[in-house]
């Protein structure tokens, strides 16, 4: 019944409907005015056909919007969205009507003195914008001006806070140009509002949405400076809001800004004195790290449907170095990380300042390498490491140490101009320099070794002065010895050893054929600076082997630990020299995908002290985001997260282990089969024996994990699968239900003989479960097993299984088992998983014998199977079929059954005899 049905009562006051409407709309009774406001949509439907009546109704609406009673204004405002939709569908002049009558009401109510009316108008405005009912002209000339007025510095505090909230919410619904031109300046101004912290807090909470609305360029130009101010706000709630939206801001920033500006800023939030800020920052740390993801470096990408795919590193990434030209990049950026269709292009980072140059930056030759090993022509892709990354993790750059400690003007390296990459340099990192810490300092050992050579080599025994070839041979041999322990597991190290071995042989030949050279100043001072003194202060690089010699120079440079930059690093390097285990541990944490301090903070989330000082659930947050971090780093940097993952897998909180269990299959895709077998399978095995709350995570994706393993490794789990049948709580039937569903999928991973020896017994056990839901899904598993046998021409195994079903279910003492046999036979016919001759010979006689079963429920299911399934098959309807007569006799007997349900289903004609509708069958069952 319509709200305004009383207007249709004939003879009431002897007034026409419109006059009666006007009377009640302006009645002294508030209730009457509320009814009219609430029924405006019905009124428009009644009077929209006549233009004069429609205009009169519009005038009444405008006058009613000025009602003094707030409840009437609120009721009217709530009706505007449905009225606008109705007018859009039925009025050709909808834009004019909306602009002249309804939008002014909405805008005026934004300044209404009543709080409830304002809230209603704000909601209506956002609804109209979301449904694209307000046109651009009205947005720019009516909506935005009032919001700018309400958010002005001299505006009322309450209105200002509400206006900021609306601006932030509507930014995502407007065009980029509108937001940037009209709302962005005011938003930046409000971010620094020193009068009302609530305004700044709203800005901080919605900062990511504004960044997304205006795009990368405006974000970096206008918003990033304001974001820095908010992250340093004196009110901890502001900093906490910034930490929560940090990932969204990072998505709208370029890779260069993300690495050089946002990363240090995030480190500040992680170290904030307020616990709540640190808690929010650590929760956002994993998602923030994931914004550094780049398929061209990780070799993995997400499809639109969310599936994780493996993408081999692009050929351009490798061939760009060999060809001597910069690899192509997207969006004008220069990093090879942007070679694929990544959503976020990666820009090159600021280069290291060097001596001897007039510019602030200079190209420094680096060895570029792909995931498969060193590039063929690394000198063509020379670039400099990011200054910020070097500052944050000085141990990863050998060049910074050389320049800091030995004052070598790298720019004056002989031939450096020819090594420089033409055009913009590319942000390519060397696996030699950046994914492990420098090798130990061997200069003292070398001096001692040379001093023992005897008087005939007196020039080698003087402190700091050694022969060129003597230095080369001894130093190369030392490096070769230090690399031997990594030789078997690392293809990059193998390539290094090959280059160094060739260089060692060349140095030995030079020592025989060449005259003695001038002494050098010691290994710590091997200079690469001055071309005029190259023969005195550096290893000779021949033109024919310059590439290999450059490799040697890089590796030898990396052996110099340099001077510590501060007391902390001094202490760290001293400990590393004293403790090789600590050195090896730190080596395993190095990578070049993200700033090292971010990774250091992330792996520290497993520290028990963090749970006391930050958040008791910090380990759970770490576990939740670990697949995203692993995807960002790529499988080549799994060594950085391996220890963290193992620590989380053994965490005392089952919630942490449960989180890992639910994502281990995705991590297996990221790591690949080799790393999965080495590092994930032991943890997976531990989860199998864990609490049910943890095991369910493994079980839900059991098929997804097992299919990633090699066949021999996969067979190891055949025996362990039966352990899932036993649960901590027998009432946890959903666990067994999930097991049956997974086994249906797992059947394709094993051979018929393995299915018969292992999985078949689990299926039979589940078919006898106490919970009917588990039994019904298990019957489908039984049918799938039969289909597995016969589709692989294993008739003997199929026959043995059929005989087992007859024994266990047809002759079961419980009626539930005999009913299950009827359902299995029905499903077998439906799926056609057993040849017809096998079915009629082995299953049909036992099925028809159920007609004399004493339990009506068994006979009901038999009637359904015969009437709706068997007779729907052309084979059984064939007049020449010898089994048709027996089936019809059984059906006649069931039609005269004393139980009404049995006789009903036996007499029920199938809707379509010639088509088997398996979907209907499943619904009926």
């Amino acid at each position: 019944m319509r709200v305004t049905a009383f207007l249709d009562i004939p003879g009431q006051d002897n007034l026409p409907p419109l006059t009666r409407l006007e009377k009640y709309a302006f009645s002294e009774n508030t209730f009457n005015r509320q009814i009219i406001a609430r029924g405006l949509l019905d009124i428009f439907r009644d009077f929209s056909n006549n233009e004069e009546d429609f205009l009169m109704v519009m005038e009444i609406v405008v006058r009613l919007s000025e009602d003094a009673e707030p409840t009437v204004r609120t009721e009217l405002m709530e009706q505007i969205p449905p009225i606008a939709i109705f007018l859009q569908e039925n009025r050709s002049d909808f834009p004019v009507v909306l602009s002249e009558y309804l939008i002014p009401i909405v805008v005026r109510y934004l300044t209404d003195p009543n709080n409830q009316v304002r809230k209603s108008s704000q909601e209506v405005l956002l609804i109209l914008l979301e449904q694209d009912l307000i046109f651009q002209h009205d947005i720019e000339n009516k909506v935005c001006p009032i919001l700018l007025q309400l958010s002005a510095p001299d505006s009322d505090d309450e209105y200002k806070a509400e206006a900021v909230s609306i601006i932030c919410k509507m930014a995502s619904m407007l065009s980029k140009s509108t937001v940037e031109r009209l709302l962005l300046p005011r938003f930046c101004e409000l971010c620094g509002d020193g009068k009302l912290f609530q305004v700044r807090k709203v800005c901080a909470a919605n900062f990511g949405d504004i960044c997304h609305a205006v795009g990368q360029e405006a974000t970096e130009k206008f918003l990033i400076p304001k974001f820095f101010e908010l992250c340093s706000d004196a009110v901890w709630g502001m900093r906490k809001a910034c930490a929560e939206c940090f990932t969204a801001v990072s998505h709208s920033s370029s890779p260069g800004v993300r690495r050089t500006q946002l990363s240090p800023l995030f480190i500040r939030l992680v170290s904030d004195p307020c616990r709540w800020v640190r808690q929010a920052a650590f929760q956002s740390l994993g998602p923030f790290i994931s914004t550094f993801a780049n398929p061209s470096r990780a070799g993995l990408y997400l499809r639109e449907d969310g599936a994780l795919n493996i993408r081999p590193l692009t050929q351009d990434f490798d061939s760009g170095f060999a060809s001597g030209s910069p690899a192509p990049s997207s969006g004008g950026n220069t990093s090879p990380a942007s070679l694929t269709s990544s959503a976020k292009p990666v820009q090159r980072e600021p280069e290291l300042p060097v001596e001897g140059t007039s510019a602030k930056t200079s190209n420094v030759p680096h060895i570029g390498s792909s995931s498969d090993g060193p590039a063929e022509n690394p000198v063509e892709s020379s670039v400099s490491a990011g200054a910020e990354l070097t500052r944050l993790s000085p141990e990863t750059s050998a060049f910074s140490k050389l320049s800091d400690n030995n004052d070598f003007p790298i720019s004056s390296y002989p031939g450096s101009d020819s090594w420089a990459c033409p055009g913009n340099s590319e942000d390519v990192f060397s696996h030699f320099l950046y994914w492990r810490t420098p090798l130990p300092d061997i200069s003292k050992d070398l001096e001692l070794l040379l001093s023992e050579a005897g008087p005939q080599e007196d020039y080698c025994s003087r402190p700091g002065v050694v022969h060129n070839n003597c230095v080369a041979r001894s130093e190369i041999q030392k490096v070769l010895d230090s690399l031997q322990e990594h030789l078997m597991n690392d293809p990059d190290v193998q390539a290094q050893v090959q280059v160094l071995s060739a260089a060692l042989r060349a140095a030995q030949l030079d020592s025989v054929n060449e005259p003695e050279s001038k002494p050098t100043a010691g290994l710590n001072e091997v200079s690469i600076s001055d071309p005029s003194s190259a023969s005195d202060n550096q290893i000779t690089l021949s033109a024919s082997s310059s590439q290999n010699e450059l490799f040697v120079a890089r590796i030898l440079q990396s052996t110099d630990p340099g001077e510590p930059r501060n007391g902390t690093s001094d202490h760290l390097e001293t400990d590393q020299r004293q403790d090789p285990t600590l050195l090896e541990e730190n080596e395993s944490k190095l990578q070049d995908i993200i700033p090292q301090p971010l990774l250091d903070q992330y792996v520290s989330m497993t520290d028990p002290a963090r749970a006391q000082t930050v958040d008791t659930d910090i380990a759970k947050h770490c576990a939740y985001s670990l697949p995203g971090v692993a995807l960002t780093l790529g499988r080549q940097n799994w060594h950085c997260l391996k220890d963290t993952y193992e620590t989380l897998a053994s965490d005392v909180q089952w919630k942490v282990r449960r989180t890992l269990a639910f994502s281990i299959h995705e991590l297996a895709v990221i790591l690949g089969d080799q790393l999965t077998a080495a590092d994930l399978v032991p943890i997976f095995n531990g989860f199998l024996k864990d609490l049910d709350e943890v095991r369910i995570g493994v079980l839900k994706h059991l098929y997804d994990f097992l299919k990633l393993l090699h066949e021999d490794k996969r067979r190891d789990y055949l025996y362990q699968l039966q352990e899932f049948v036993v649960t901590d709580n027998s009432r946890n039937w959903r666990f067994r239900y999930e097991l049956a569903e997974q086994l249906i999928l797992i059947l394709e991973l094993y051979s018929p003989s393995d299915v018969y020896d292992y999985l078949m017994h689990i299926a039979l056990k589940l078919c006898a479960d106490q919970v009917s839901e588990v039994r019904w899904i298990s019957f489908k598993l039984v049918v799938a097993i039969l289909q597995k046998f016969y589709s692989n021409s294993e008739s003997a195994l199929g026959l043995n299984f059929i005989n087992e079903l007859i024994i266990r279910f047809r002759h079961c003492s419980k009626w539930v088992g005999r009913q299950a046999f009827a359902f299995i036979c029905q499903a077998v016919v439906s799926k056609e998983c057993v040849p017809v001759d096998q079915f009629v010979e082995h299953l049909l006689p036992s099925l028809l014998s159920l007609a004399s079963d004493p339990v009506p429920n068994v006979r009901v299911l038999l009637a359904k199977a015969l009437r709706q399934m068997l007779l729907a098959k052309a084979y059984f309807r064939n007049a020449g079929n010898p089994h048709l007569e027996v089936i019809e006799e059984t059906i006649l007997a069931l039609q005269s059954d004393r139980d009404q349900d049995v006789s009903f289903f036996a007499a029920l004609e199938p809707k379509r005899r010639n088509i088997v509708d398996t979907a209907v069958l499943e619904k009926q069952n």
Side-chain angles (χ1 to χ4, degrees), residues 43-297:
I43 294 173
F44 274 105
R45 288 172 178 166
D46 293 340
F47 296 103
S48 61
N49 295 327
N50 186 284
E51 187 67 21
E52 293 183 2
D53 293 348
F54 174 78
L55 293 176
M56 186 174 181
V57 171
M58 271 299 179
E59 293 296 335
I60 294 176
V61 170
V62 173
R63 290 175 59 190
L64 192 63
S65 67
E66 300 172 353
D67 196 285
E69 178 59 38
T71 57
V72 176
R73 301 198 301 273
T74 302
E75 292 282 1
L76 184 147
M77 183 53 55
E78 292 174 353
Q79 296 301 313
I80 286 185
I83 291 174
I85 295 175
F86 171 79
L87 295 178
Q88 184 186 35
E89 296 173 350
N90 297 275
R91 299 282 301 188
S92 59
D93 59 345
F94 164 72
V96 177
V97 173
L98 184 71
S99 178
E100 292 185 358
Y101 294 98
L102 299 184
I103 295 300
I105 298 176
V106 176
V107 171
R108 188 172 73 250
Y109 279 10
L110 292 175
T111 60
D112 195 275
N114 184 268
N115 181 62
Q116 185 62 36
V117 176
R118 291 200 310 274
K119 296 295 184 184
S120 299
S121 65
Q122 294 165 14
E123 295 176 3
V124 168
L125 176 62
L126 295 176
I127 292 174
L128 295 178
L129 288 171
E130 184 179 3
Q131 298 185 5
D132 200 21
L133 295 175
I134 304 181
F135 296 91
Q136 186 69 23
H137 180 270
D138 291 331
I139 293 175
E140 296 185 0
N141 295 279
K142 296 182 179 179
V143 177
C144 288
I146 191 65
L147 293 177
L148 295 176
Q149 176 185 340
L150 292 175
S151 59
D154 56 350
S155 177
D156 183 84
D157 291 345
E158 187 176 4
Y159 289 168
K160 183 188 296 185
E162 294 175 353
V164 175
S165 179
I166 299 175
I167 289 175
C168 295
K169 292 177 180 178
M170 66 184 289
S172 60
M173 307 175 193
L174 305 181
S175 65
K176 176 182 175 181
S177 60
T178 301
V179 177
E180 188 171 352
R181 179 165 41 89
L182 299 178
L183 302 180
L184 182 58
R186 178 54 52 85
F187 179 82
C188 293
E189 181 182 341
L190 293 170
C191 288
D193 188 290
K195 180 180 178 182
L196 200 63
F197 81 92
Q198 289 91 342
V199 173
R200 301 197 308 277
K201 187 172 183 179
V202 173
C203 292
N206 297 275
F207 209 93
D209 296 333
I210 300 295
C211 292
H212 178 72
V214 300
Q216 176 179 311
E217 182 179 355
T219 295
E220 297 180 357
K221 184 177 181 181
F222 301 106
L223 293 176
I224 292 297
K226 296 297 180 182
F227 192 62
F228 269 76
E229 294 178 7
L230 290 174
C231 289
S232 304
D233 199 281
V235 180
W236 67 265
M238 231 69 63
R239 305 194 300 274
K240 179 177 180 291
C242 290
E244 292 170 346
C245 71
F246 212 98
T247 303
V249 176
S250 179
H251 274 301
S252 300
S253 305
S254 65
V257 171
R258 183 181 303 129
R259 183 179 289 269
T260 60
Q261 298 184 36
L262 294 184
S263 296
L265 180 62
F266 194 88
I267 295 299
R268 284 169 46 190
L269 293 177
V270 168
S271 307
D272 195 272
C274 177
R275 176 171 182 166
W276 306 114
V277 178
R278 296 197 305 272
Q279 179 177 326
F282 273 109
Q283 291 181 16
S284 301
L285 178 56
F288 174 56
I289 290 177
S290 68
T291 62
F292 288 83
N294 194 306
S296 65
R297 306 196 71 180

Side-chain angles (χ1 to χ4, degrees), residues 310-355:
I310 299 175
R311 169 181 292 171
L313 296 184
T314 56
Q315 294 181 356
D316 293 340
F317 185 71
D318 297 323
S319 63
F321 306 125
S323 63
S325 61
S329 60
S330 60
N333 298 318
T334 59
S335 171
S338 61
L339 292 179
T340 58
S341 56
S342 174
K344 302 294 178 184
V346 180
Q347 294 182 345
R348 69 184 176 95
E349 302 167 7
E351 299 170 350
L352 285 173
V354 296
E355 294 178 279

Side-chain angles (χ1 to χ4, degrees), residues 752-761:
S753 58
D754 287 338
V755 172
Y756 183 84
D757 293 337
Y758 296 96
L759 304 185
M760 185 186 76
H761 302 289

Side-chain angles (χ1 to χ4, degrees), residues 293 295 298-311 626-628 630-632 634-635 663-672 707-708:
L300 299 161
Y301 71 101
L302 288 174
R303 294 197 318 234
E304 292 183 358
D305 60 356
L308 187 63
N309 274 21
I310 299 175
R311 169 181 292 171
L626 194 140
L631 175 64
T632 302
R635 62 184 60 169
S663 63
I664 193 171
H665 66 291
E666 294 288 1
L667 191 59
V669 177
I670 296 172
L671 298 184
K707 72 178 181 180
L708 299 173

Side-chain angles (χ1 to χ4, degrees), residues 819 822 826 850-851 853 855-868 894 897 899-906 925:
Q819 185 191 48
Q826 183 181 14
L850 292 176
D853 195 278
V855 179
N857 286 356
V858 178
R859 302 196 302 274
V860 166
L861 198 54
L862 173 63
K864 289 182 179 181
L866 296 178
R867 195 66 179 174
Q868 300 176 12
L894 293 173
D897 194 279
D899 187 273
Q900 294 182 354
D901 293 332
V902 176
S903 60
F904 171 79
F905 285 106
N925 290 331

